[in-house]
């Protein structure tokens, strides 16, 4: 709006000036032209007075930090000789005693840990048998589990995880040199027998059925140190069998 008022006053002033010149040439009254120029000039002045100042462009602005850095930069003095500049003090050459020594090499892990880390899988032949497969409640039942070591190193103890409905049976004994404990889903039978290379050891589980029914059991072997026991093809081993129990 201020710009429009100013332009209108400027344009009107030009028009009134032309009218005034024409009236002067023709020797007619010049009052109208004079009044018009005065009014238009007043409008022009008012338009300029109320026009807001032009905002500064981003290029005209300087960051405060940059302006401070620019103003604080010292002007080089022409009379200052080049020799007055501070010279860099040469760094002394390190003597052999100051040379940093290499970091000590990390010691190798003990031989026992290396053997354990390398022995992640041990090949064995795992088999078993159930005697008898059909019996009456209260009769003796024997699970015989056989581990044959196919590797070159001695298997120092092994355990067998047994899955099945063990709650219907009473475990009487596990032999030889073995113990057993109940896990979350089944029983763990632990043998301390060592199995040299190309030899086998048997684990006998003796139990008695308390209820008639058809039962199925499965067994998974593993080394006592936690190593994985696999067959000759490197596959996991699971064996199992079925038992039928009848009432007397």
């Amino acid at each position: 709006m201020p710009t429009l008022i100013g332009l209108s006053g400027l344009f009107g002033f030009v028009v009134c000036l032309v009218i005034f010149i024409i009236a002067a040439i023709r020797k007619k009254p010049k009052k109208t032209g004079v009044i018009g120029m005065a009014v238009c000039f007043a409008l022009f002045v008012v338009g300029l007075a109320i026009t807001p100042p032009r905002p500064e462009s981003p290029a005209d602005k300087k960051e405060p930090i940059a302006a401070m850095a620019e103003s604080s930069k010292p002007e080089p003095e022409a009379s200052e000789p080049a020799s007055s500049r501070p010279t860099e003090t040469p760094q002394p050459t390190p003597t052999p005693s100051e040379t940093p020594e290499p970091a000590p090499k990390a010691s190798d892990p003990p031989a026992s840990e290396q053997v354990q880390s390398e022995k992640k899988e041990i090949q064995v032949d795992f088999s078993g048998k159930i005697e008898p497969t059909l019996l009456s409640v209260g009769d003796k039942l024997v699970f015989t589990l056989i581990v044959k070591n196919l590797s070159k190193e001695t298997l120092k103890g092994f355990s067998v995880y047994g899955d099945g409905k063990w709650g219907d049976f009473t475990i009487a004994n596990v032999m030889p040199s073995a113990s057993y404990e109940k896990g979350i889903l089944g029983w763990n039978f632990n043998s301390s027998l060592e199995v040299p290379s190309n030899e086998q050891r048997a684990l006998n589980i003796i139990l008695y059925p308390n209820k008639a029914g058809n039962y199925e059991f499965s067994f998974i072997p593993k080394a006592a140190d936690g190593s994985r026991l696999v067959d000759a093809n490197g596959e996991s081993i699971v064996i199992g069998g079925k038992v039928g129990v009848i009432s007397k």
Side-chain angles (χ1 to χ4, degrees):
M1 181 61 71
T3 303
L4 181 60
I5 294 174
L7 292 177
S8 299
L10 180 60
F11 181 77
F13 181 85
V14 174
V15 173
C16 292
L17 179 60
V18 173
I19 295 174
F20 176 80
I21 294 172
I22 294 173
I25 293 174
R26 294 182 178 180
K27 296 180 180 181
K28 291 184 178 182
K30 309 177 193 65
K31 185 177 180 180
T32 302
V34 173
I35 295 174
M37 285 190 294
V39 173
C40 293
F41 181 78
L43 290 175
F44 178 74
V45 172
V46 172
L48 288 178
I50 64 175
T51 300
R54 182 178 65 89
E56 293 183 14
S57 62
D60 298 334
K61 296 181 178 179
K62 286 187 178 181
E63 294 294 333
I65 298 177
M68 290 176 61
E70 185 176 347
S71 62
S72 61
K73 186 184 298 183
E75 294 293 336
E77 297 181 6
S79 61
E80 183 180 358
S83 60
S84 63
R85 297 180 182 177
T87 58
E88 296 182 358
T89 304
Q91 297 294 332
T93 304
T95 60
S97 60
E98 296 176 351
T99 304
E101 298 181 358
K105 184 178 179 182
S107 58
D108 296 329
S112 59
E113 294 184 7
Q114 292 182 355
V115 173
Q116 184 174 357
S117 61
E118 294 174 358
K119 192 173 57 176
K120 295 181 179 180
E121 293 185 351
I122 301 176
Q123 291 185 345
V124 298
D125 181 20
F126 185 54
S127 59
K129 58 182 178 179
I130 299 175
E131 293 180 340
T133 56
L134 181 62
L135 69 161
S136 301
V137 174
D139 291 346
K140 181 180 179 180
L141 177 64
V142 179
F143 293 155
T144 302
L145 306 174
I146 303 171
V147 175
K148 182 178 181 180
N149 187 2
L150 302 179
S151 65
K152 296 181 180 180
E153 298 181 0
T154 300
L155 178 61
K156 297 182 179 181
F158 62 92
S159 62
V160 177
Y161 169 75
D163 186 18
K165 199 172 182 181
W166 295 92
D168 292 348
F169 293 80
T170 299
I171 301 175
N173 197 3
V174 181
M175 52 185 300
S177 302
S179 62
Y180 58 95
E181 57 185 359
K182 187 176 182 181
I184 298 176
L185 300 176
W187 285 81
N188 293 309
F189 304 94
N190 307 308
S191 174
S192 59
L193 293 175
E194 293 188 354
V195 187
S197 177
N198 294 322
E199 293 189 18
Q200 66 182 29
R201 296 290 185 269
L203 182 67
N204 298 304
I205 304 173
I206 302 171
L207 62 163
Y208 295 89
N210 301 322
K211 186 185 299 185
N214 295 318
Y215 301 93
E216 185 173 356
F217 296 89
S218 61
F219 301 95
I220 302 174
K222 64 178 181 179
D225 60 0
S227 299
R228 183 167 171 256
L229 300 184
V230 296
D231 59 16
N233 298 322
E235 302 292 336
S236 300
I237 305 174
V238 180
I239 64 173
K242 296 181 180 180
V243 177
V245 181
I246 59 177
S247 300
K248 287 186 176 181

